[in-house]
Amino acid sequence: MPPRRTARERVRAEITREIADIARDHLAAGGAAGLSLRAVARDMGMVSSAIYRYFPSRDDLLTALITDGYNAIGAAVEAADAACRRDDYPGRWLAGARAAREWALARPHEYALIYGSPVPGYQAPADTIGPASRTAVVFGRLVSDACAAGALSPPQAAPPQGDPIQGDPIQGDQPDRRPARPGRPARPARPAHPVPATLSEDAARLRGTVMPGVPDDVVFGALTAWAGLFGIISFELFGQFTNVVTDRGAYFDHAAGALAGLMGLAGP
Amino acid sequence: MPPRRTARERVRAEITREIADIARDHLAAGGAAGLSLRAVARDMGMVSSAIYRYFPSRDDLLTALITDGYNAIGAAVEAADAACRRDDYPGRWLAGARAAREWALARPHEYALIYGSPVPGYQAPADTIGPASRTAVVFGRLVSDACAAGALSPPQAAPPQGDPIQGDPIQGDQPDRRPARPGRPARPARPAHPVPATLSEDAARLRGTVMPGVPDDVVFGALTAWAGLFGIISFELFGQFTNVVTDRGAYFDHAAGALAGLMGLAGP
DNA sequence: TGTACATCAGTGAACGCGCGTTCACTGATGTAC
DNA sequence: TGTACATCAGTGAACGCGCGTTCACTGATGTAC
């Protein structure tokens, strides 16, 4: 028998949500550092001390907003990915990338809260880690799928190595490279960037958690594409593209395509 | 005759600098939103109202910090670039990228001030624009130089165009492509990402201001490399690489090399 | 179904704090003759 | 070189404001018998 939720519990959940919603609105006005429990209480039509029935402190309210933010952008990216044909890997990447950007443009202050400068004096608790990785997990799975299907462009012949410091890396635990699926048009080679040996542990861990079966250079290519994507979104949102890029949507799509190339995910 | 600086003027300049230095320290503790004139005054051993002799308001102090920040990272990148052989374009890119990262790691709060979330309620005045572009100018010149020297890898044959929405762009005002300088080893082709027509105005403007003589696709490749670079620095600084990348320096160098490929700047 | 008790939400006052900015002032430094 | 005056830096008090958090309380809702 499922435990009946009493009316009191239902009201409690609703008011908790309402407080978080109002707090989110306040983020827009004053940023995370300016978020004030008293101001939220005023907007709720409550006395300030009543908020403490729902959130034991200001930091707990912040944590809730951060967790919600990661979950919301994660859900948006998941939905965009799910709406694509499973084997359209470049399409999935572009759809996920666009979903992230659109979410960010619609909620710039929430985006700033999770991907902008850390809130001074605030230490994120461990419960934010799971939601935080939700978006990255979608992209990781996509790369894994593409790799397993042999849909990644083959690595290019290594460029001449003129730098004596950085020798050929040892890539011990890399899975076999499968040939591109027959019947597809010939793909351009993905650029070869040898991965230094000191990174192979990280690559192995990422294979274990988020990108199973993906070779080192693609793991880091994906990482760079991921960071690059959010770099572009942040530049757009935080004003670095003022007087630089006018048609931001067109540029974003173009850049997303270019970044896809870093992991051998090219063309439509 | 140069106007003699009176002792008073010299002291004034020094105290102004001292206030800014202390304010910078305070950024670390409370972020931009928490920067307080009263606290700075306390640390200066002054009464709070005395600060107003030097900065007419809190926002003016913030503006000074932002301008100084842009100038400092710009100078660091300029110096790194200047220390390279003029025709070592990949080396100049890597040196500039590393300088930006090292500056950011040494002054994370100043970095957050200029490349992180905008300060709520603060409107940057026009005088910050010049310093803000200093870093980008260095990278722009580097790409321009490489292009003029014919040191960029040739564009790859365009991949099959399956997407009917995004036709072949018209690239009206592109300069001629020069062949790669003879005598160099064959370079891998740079990936072809056709630039949509709506972006050609932006490309032309950027050619006029910061990347003269550079074809559209390289202009946007450079833009993406630039945004990607700061995306990686921000991810590292703002905690997104926790439990993801361990050897951050090695990864950064690797990623910088991969991003360089976006503008056809490959290999040593 | 009715009653006694426990739980919980919300109140209002208070504590102790910090903030940006203004203003009339004192005394030191610089300038013009 | 000396004097009168103007400029400037720094003081201290004040204005009016907002903040997070605690605490004893009232009254409503839920639970156990």
Side-chain angles (χ1 to χ4, degrees), chain B residues 109-205:
Chain B
H109 302 95
E110 262 184 283
Y111 177 87
L113 179 66
I114 57 182
Y115 288 107
S117 351
V119 183
Y122 169 83
Q123 192 53 286
D127 354 353
T128 59
I129 295 179
S133 58
R134 225 169 126 173
T135 301
V137 163
V138 177
F139 291 129
R141 184 163 38 225
L142 178 178
V143 176
S144 243
D145 290 354
C147 190
L152 297 182
S153 20
Q156 199 168 238
Q161 291 279 324
D163 188 347
I165 298 170
Q166 183 179 303
D168 267 348
I170 302 149
Q171 301 188 333
D173 54 352
Q174 288 205 22
D176 291 339
R177 299 246 172 81
R178 312 194 192 178
R181 204 154 61 181
R184 293 208 159 219
R187 295 174 176 285
R190 81 173 109 110
H193 290 281
V195 175
T198 52
L199 288 176
S200 55
E201 258 186 63
D202 287 336
R205 183 162 22 76

Side-chain angles (χ1 to χ4, degrees), chain A residues 92 165 256:
Chain A
R92 285 168 66 185
I165 297 170

Side-chain angles (χ1 to χ4, degrees), chain A residues 170-191:
Chain A
I170 301 149
Q171 302 187 333
D173 55 351
Q174 289 206 21
D176 292 337
R177 299 251 172 79
R178 312 195 192 177
R181 204 155 62 181
R184 292 207 161 221
R187 294 174 177 287
R190 80 171 109 111

Side-chain angles (χ1 to χ4, degrees), chain A:
Chain A
M1 192 168 87
R4 276 280 293 140
R5 288 206 341 162
T6 69
R8 205 185 239 171
E9 281 170 324
R10 272 210 287 268
V11 171
R12 182 170 229 289
E14 197 171 319
I15 293 188
T16 305
R17 204 173 34 71
E18 227 173 292
I19 291 174
D21 286 346
I22 289 180
R24 253 185 290 278
D25 290 347
H26 283 214
L27 276 186
L35 181 66
S36 139
L37 284 189
R38 292 186 101 114
V40 172
R42 261 195 305 276
D43 272 24
M44 285 288 294
M46 276 173 156
V47 102
S48 69
S49 54
I51 298 284
Y52 288 81
R53 297 275 167 217
Y54 298 90
F55 294 94
S57 79
R58 202 192 84 113
D59 273 14
D60 288 272
L61 176 53
L62 258 185
T63 299
L65 295 184
I66 290 172
T67 303
D68 288 357
Y70 277 126
N71 275 320
I73 191 172
V77 172
E78 281 167 9
D81 179 76
C84 294
R85 261 184 42 208
R86 291 295 78 197
D87 63 349
D88 178 11
Y89 308 106
R92 285 168 66 185
W93 163 256
L94 181 60
R98 280 176 170 168
R101 171 172 179 262
E102 273 150 28
W103 187 88
L105 288 179
R107 295 160 181 81
H109 301 95
E110 262 184 282
Y111 177 86
L113 179 65
I114 58 183
Y115 289 106
S117 350
V119 183
Y122 170 82
Q123 191 51 286
D127 353 355
T128 58
I129 295 177
S133 57
R134 225 170 128 173
T135 301
V137 164
V138 178
F139 291 130
R141 184 163 38 226
L142 177 179
V143 176
S144 243
D145 290 354
C147 190
L152 297 183
S153 22
Q156 199 168 238
Q161 291 279 322
D163 188 349
I165 297 170
Q166 183 179 305
D168 266 347
I170 301 149
Q171 302 187 333
D173 55 351
Q174 289 206 21
D176 292 337
R177 299 251 172 79
R178 312 195 192 177
R181 204 155 62 181
R184 292 207 161 221
R187 294 174 177 287
R190 80 171 109 111
H193 289 282
V195 175
T198 53
L199 288 176
S200 55
E201 260 186 63
D202 287 336
R205 184 164 18 79
L206 288 168
R207 261 195 295 279
T209 54
V210 99
M211 281 185 273
V214 174
D216 280 20
D217 71 319
V218 175
V219 165
F220 289 108
L223 212 59
T224 304
W226 172 59
L229 198 74
F230 282 90
I232 291 166
I233 294 174
S234 293
F235 263 25
E236 176 173 357
L237 240 60
F238 298 165
Q240 305 284 345
F241 281 163
T242 311
N243 300 324
V244 175
V245 183
T246 308
D247 189 343
R248 310 253 165 102
Y251 167 68
F252 181 82
D253 285 0
H254 172 79
L259 290 171
L262 297 181
M263 34 188 181
L265 207 62

Side-chain angles (χ1 to χ4, degrees), chain B residues 30-93:
Chain B
L35 181 67
S36 138
L37 284 190
R38 293 186 100 114
V40 171
R42 263 194 304 277
D43 273 23
M44 285 287 295
M46 275 172 155
V47 103
S48 68
S49 53
I51 299 284
Y52 287 82
R53 297 273 168 218
Y54 298 91
F55 294 94
S57 79
R58 203 191 83 111
D59 274 14
D60 289 272
L61 176 54
L62 259 184
T63 298
L65 295 184
I66 290 173
T67 303
D68 288 357
Y70 277 125
N71 274 319
I73 192 172
V77 173
E78 281 167 10
D81 178 77
C84 295
R85 261 184 40 210
R86 291 293 79 198
D87 62 349
D88 179 9
Y89 309 106
R92 285 168 66 184
W93 164 254

